[in-house]
Amino acid sequence: MDVCRWQISWIVGLLLFLSNVIGDFDKRDYLKREHTLVKPYSGSGFSVPLWDFVGTTMVTNNYVRLTPDYQSRQGGIWNTMPLMVKNWELHVHFKVHGSGKNLFGDGFAVWYARDRNQLGHVFGNKDFFVGLGIFLDTYSNHNGPHNHEHPYISAMVNNGTLHYDHDRDGTHTEIAGCEAKFRNKEYDTYVAIRYQDETLKVSTDIDNEGKWKECFIVHGVKLPIGYYIGATAATGELADNHDIISMKLYELESLKKEDDTAAYHGLPSAQFFASPRDHIEDPKGGFTSGSMSGWKVFIIIIIAIIGLAVCGVVGYVVFNKDGGYNSKRFY
């Protein structure tokens, strides 16, 4: 009898424990399907429910390609539903790849922004945006020395007044960043963006280890509710394939014991900005800088061909003069 009671008590205790764990999981990691993009993508016809596509974006059975490996392309994917939760985490499964070995670009961005479907020069989105941008930059445009290599992941919070400067790789408006070698991997690559209690944390899973690695964490970031999730990409003189495989949005609970604060409705803001690096103008036109764009390489080749041609003509003339002089001496 005592054994039966003990077994019943143990089973009841186990069920209570499991119910608490499951309840905790549901509350802290609740998948918001209206903000989630997973395979299969297509709904009726060529549309994808709750998502808009702009620019060169192409939907296939296995991925959403924002840009192909061609020059001067821009594409984007935007959720049609505004996000109305205070704390959230976005997991993005992506792939950046292409034929270029030394020259490639430009990268892609993940957005939580007020305005959507507006193509522009900030990784395929408009400049002077309002919201949060996470930039996965594959090409260094900065002439001066970096204190990091590319590819590079950085964050920018904008209230609509800040300009993203490509020549400085956005260093004067960056709030944090880290190096991340995510390009041309043969395995799956992921980035996670967590916004919880005014703290922004970005993590990556790009080493085929199946676990998150912290990229950076920034406190004092204020983002309002009601903005849109999206991803955009762009190519310029250099190119890459920029693919999105999935985007999963989870609602999180506050870590505070008593979170009775009202949802924020003001403009985005950040208390901290990373120190900008000086932009060093290259007096030789950038040809001696660490990275060269396609037109620089082309000009160098043309100059080399002209130089060889001039040398050939000069050599021919000198040879003929010497030949004439020698013939007069020996005959």
Side-chain angles (χ1 to χ4, degrees):
M1 189 69 175
D2 291 336
V3 174
C4 292
R5 287 178 180 175
W6 179 84
Q7 290 177 338
I8 293 172
S9 300
W10 185 85
I11 292 172
V12 170
L14 178 62
L15 291 174
L16 288 173
F17 172 76
L18 291 175
S19 66
N20 288 333
V21 170
I22 293 171
D24 246 6
F25 178 84
D26 287 341
K27 284 186 271 187
R28 295 185 177 275
D29 299 285
Y30 178 62
L31 179 67
K32 303 289 285 185
R33 297 191 180 277
E34 64 271 28
H35 304 292
T36 293
L37 176 74
V38 293
K39 295 185 287 187
Y41 307 114
S42 299
S44 58
F46 294 99
S47 64
V48 176
L50 303 177
W51 294 88
D52 284 341
F53 303 93
V54 293
T56 58
T57 301
M58 178 181 65
V59 182
T60 73
N61 292 330
N62 297 315
Y63 53 80
V64 177
R65 177 154 294 170
L66 304 177
T67 69
D69 193 3
Y70 295 108
Q71 295 177 326
S72 303
R73 301 292 195 271
Q74 293 179 350
I77 173 176
W78 289 92
N79 191 210
T80 62
M81 299 289 291
L83 182 58
M84 304 303 295
V85 299
K86 293 194 299 181
N87 302 296
W88 48 267
E89 181 165 333
L90 179 66
H91 295 177
V92 181
H93 181 189
F94 69 92
K95 187 175 181 66
V96 178
H97 58 107
S99 57
K101 294 184 177 180
N102 298 314
L103 296 174
F104 43 81
D106 286 333
F108 76 101
V110 182
W111 300 94
Y112 177 66
R114 184 186 67 185
D115 307 307
R116 61 190 190 92
N117 296 344
Q118 298 186 27
L119 294 173
H121 298 293
V122 185
F123 298 96
N125 192 32
K126 59 175 286 189
D127 200 0
F128 297 100
F129 63 91
V130 179
L132 167 69
I134 305 296
F135 307 135
L136 290 88
D137 191 352
T138 55
Y139 180 72
S140 173
N141 296 284
H142 197 284
N143 282 340
H146 274 302
N147 60 3
H148 65 76
E149 296 181 357
H150 279 69
Y152 187 73
I153 300 177
S154 64
M156 177 179 175
V157 175
N158 200 349
N159 60 7
T161 65
L162 300 177
H163 163 61
Y164 179 84
D165 191 342
H166 269 289
D167 291 339
R168 291 175 171 85
D169 289 327
T171 57
H172 66 304
T173 51
E174 171 189 323
I175 62 173
C178 74
E179 296 177 13
K181 304 299 183 182
F182 55 77
R183 184 182 178 273
N184 266 357
K185 299 298 184 181
E186 297 298 327
Y187 45 81
D188 294 333
T189 48
Y190 302 85
V191 61
I193 304 160
R194 173 183 285 251
Y195 179 69
Q196 188 175 36
D197 299 328
E198 298 185 359
T199 296
L200 176 68
K201 180 180 180 180
V202 173
S203 305
T204 59
D205 179 7
I206 56 175
D207 298 318
N208 201 27
E209 295 179 350
K211 61 181 180 180
W212 295 113
K213 178 182 178 182
E214 181 180 313
C215 175
F216 58 80
I217 183 168
V218 183
H219 303 284
V221 176
K222 301 188 74 172
L223 299 176
I225 63 170
Y227 284 11
Y228 296 92
I229 298 295
T232 63
T235 64
E237 296 176 355
L238 307 176
D240 253 341
N241 297 304
H242 299 96
D243 300 340
I244 300 294
I245 292 92
S246 69
M247 300 177 71
K248 298 179 179 180
L249 194 286
Y250 298 89
E251 181 179 2
L252 305 178
E253 276 194 341
S254 172
L255 296 177
K256 301 176 182 177
K257 291 183 178 180
E258 295 182 4
D259 182 27
D260 54 357
T261 57
Y264 180 63
H265 293 277
L267 287 173
S269 65
Q271 295 179 0
F272 173 81
F273 283 85
S275 299
R277 294 180 295 278
D278 292 334
H279 179 70
I280 302 174
E281 298 296 340
D282 191 337
K284 298 181 181 180
F287 289 112
T288 60
S289 60
S291 301
M292 294 188 295
S293 60
W295 69 269
K296 294 178 184 177
V297 175
F298 176 75
I299 291 176
I300 290 175
I301 293 173
I302 294 298
I303 293 174
I305 292 174
I306 294 173
L308 290 174
V310 170
C311 290
V313 171
V314 171
Y316 176 78
V317 172
V318 172
F319 176 79
N320 280 344
K321 282 185 178 181
D322 288 346
Y325 174 73
N326 288 335
S327 63
K328 289 178 181 178
R329 283 185 61 192
F330 289 105
Y331 290 96

